[in-house]
Amino acid sequence: MDIKQLKFLIALDQTRHFGQAAVLCHITQPTLSMRLRSLEEELDLVLVKRGQRFEGFTEAGERILAWARTLLAAHDGLQAEAASCRGQVVGMLRLGSVPLASFNPMHLLLPLREKYPELHFQLSSHTSEQVIDQLSRNQLDLGICYLDQVDTSFFEVIELGTTTMGLLHDTRHFQFEQAELHWQDLDDIPLGLLSKGMHYRQSLDLSFRSRGLEPMAVLESDSTFQLIQAIASGVCCAVMPLDGGLEELGEPLRIIPISDASIRSPVGLLLRRSEPRSAIAGQCFDEARALFGG
């Protein structure tokens, strides 16, 4: 067994396709299949369901896949630790973040990139629960999430502030004269909303219900990008975070603050307290503490 076999297994999980996994790993499909079969023979287990195409992982395959992720994270951490001993910050920082918050992750990544030019980033979008879970499983190095569900005995935390909100709209399709809106002003505006169950959506629903309002939801999505596409096409407006980077999009998109619109739970940057954790994670967390306090 070697690290490459585990990388091939994880690539297959990411792509759910033998050919695409081979391309991702820069090898031929027959080589990928041969190396995975070799891994199965060594473990004396069937890991992959095969038919005309990839059909998923067996139960044993799912369990081995979880260990493969842990081993690869440890391998990457070892490489990062060795670089740190040489005075370098080299490798991949895996950052997971809730999709909508009044914190722009680029305010962290840009200074890190300027200080550590050999550092690369993997940025992914998750719910708060997923961020906490993946940090616990060492599948993320740092996480940005709402803090109401965080047990600080397991995580170091830098509080990044409370999420305030405004109405994002396209001025080609919607015109508002006010410098600030109130919740009642949104009562008859077509809105795009995040999917139900997400923390940000729950807070929005509570804000509407507490004022006896029912939002005119014409579109729901778990993708911020798709919401912005809908706004730009004139399908809807959306209640979005202030100071999250949307202000920088410029015309024709505009965001107007909403009075008394905020999410009660603050957002924070999390680092797992327990080992193993990569030298990259610790170094970047220290840089964030210097930038944002905490």
Side-chain angles (χ1 to χ4, degrees):
M1 184 189 306
D2 60 41
I3 287 294
K4 286 187 177 179
Q5 286 173 302
L6 302 182
K7 288 183 177 179
F8 298 160
L9 193 68
I10 289 173
L12 184 57
D13 179 48
Q14 291 173 333
T15 61
R16 318 300 287 185
H17 188 279
F18 287 107
Q20 292 175 15
V23 170
L24 186 63
C25 296
H26 307 290
I27 58 174
T28 64
Q29 183 171 332
T31 299
L32 179 93
S33 297
M34 179 187 69
R35 296 299 303 278
L36 290 179
R37 287 192 183 277
S38 175
L39 178 63
E40 289 178 318
E41 290 172 5
E42 183 176 348
L43 297 173
D44 193 22
L45 291 169
V46 176
L47 306 178
V48 180
K49 298 176 184 176
R50 296 175 176 87
Q52 293 286 342
R53 56 181 62 85
F54 175 76
E55 296 180 355
F57 292 95
T58 63
E59 181 180 350
E62 293 286 356
R63 293 167 65 179
I64 296 300
L65 189 61
W67 277 103
R69 293 193 190 99
T70 299
L71 289 171
L72 272 183
H75 174 266
D76 292 344
L78 185 151
Q79 297 287 355
E81 195 71 40
S84 178
C85 292
R86 299 191 298 268
Q88 300 172 295
V89 177
V90 178
M92 181 76 71
L93 176 72
R94 301 166 299 167
L95 175 65
S97 177
V98 291
L100 292 176
S102 287
F103 177 78
N104 185 349
M106 298 308 123
H107 292 163
L108 172 62
L109 300 194
L110 181 59
L112 288 176
R113 179 66 176 157
E114 290 175 344
K115 187 167 185 177
Y116 307 116
E118 294 183 89
L119 186 62
H120 299 273
F121 306 98
Q122 183 182 83
L123 182 60
S124 52
S125 178
H126 306 285
T127 65
S128 289
E129 293 86 351
Q130 289 169 335
V131 168
I132 293 168
D133 178 65
Q134 292 193 33
L135 283 171
S136 300
R137 295 171 182 268
N138 200 23
Q139 294 173 5
L140 290 174
D141 298 308
L142 300 177
I144 298 171
C145 70
Y146 296 104
L147 298 181
D148 53 351
Q149 301 176 28
V150 175
D151 186 339
T152 55
S153 63
F154 294 109
F155 299 99
E156 294 186 47
V157 175
I158 299 172
E159 190 168 319
L160 301 173
T162 299
T163 296
T164 54
M165 295 178 279
L167 185 73
L168 184 67
H169 63 285
D170 189 307
T171 56
R172 295 170 299 180
H173 307 293
F174 294 90
Q175 296 289 333
F176 300 95
E177 300 300 327
Q178 307 96 309
E180 183 177 78
L181 297 171
H182 301 275
W183 285 106
Q184 287 76 7
D185 298 326
L186 311 184
D187 196 28
D188 58 353
I189 297 173
L191 294 177
L193 302 174
L194 277 183
S195 301
K196 291 180 179 178
M198 302 184 79
H199 194 293
Y200 189 90
R201 171 65 185 275
Q202 290 174 345
S203 182
L204 282 186
D205 288 345
L206 178 61
S207 295
F208 278 109
R209 284 199 308 269
S210 65
R211 293 167 173 84
L213 303 173
E214 183 69 30
M216 187 194 300
V218 298
L219 180 144
E220 295 186 10
S221 175
D222 61 358
S223 165
T224 305
F225 177 68
Q226 289 176 346
L227 288 179
I228 293 176
Q229 283 181 310
I231 293 166
S233 68
V235 169
C236 59
C237 304
V239 180
M240 292 286 201
L242 301 174
D243 305 316
L246 295 174
E247 292 88 347
E248 298 166 15
L249 294 176
E251 292 291 342
L253 294 180
R254 181 185 174 215
I255 189 165
I256 305 176
I258 301 170
S259 176
D260 298 324
S262 64
I263 295 180
R264 291 182 177 84
S265 175
V267 171
L269 180 70
L270 273 60
L271 171 70
R272 190 180 64 184
R273 291 188 184 276
S274 61
E275 297 290 347
R277 65 185 193 187
S278 73
I280 288 177
Q283 184 67 42
C284 291
F285 192 80
D286 288 341
E287 294 292 338
R289 196 191 306 276
L291 287 168
F292 310 115

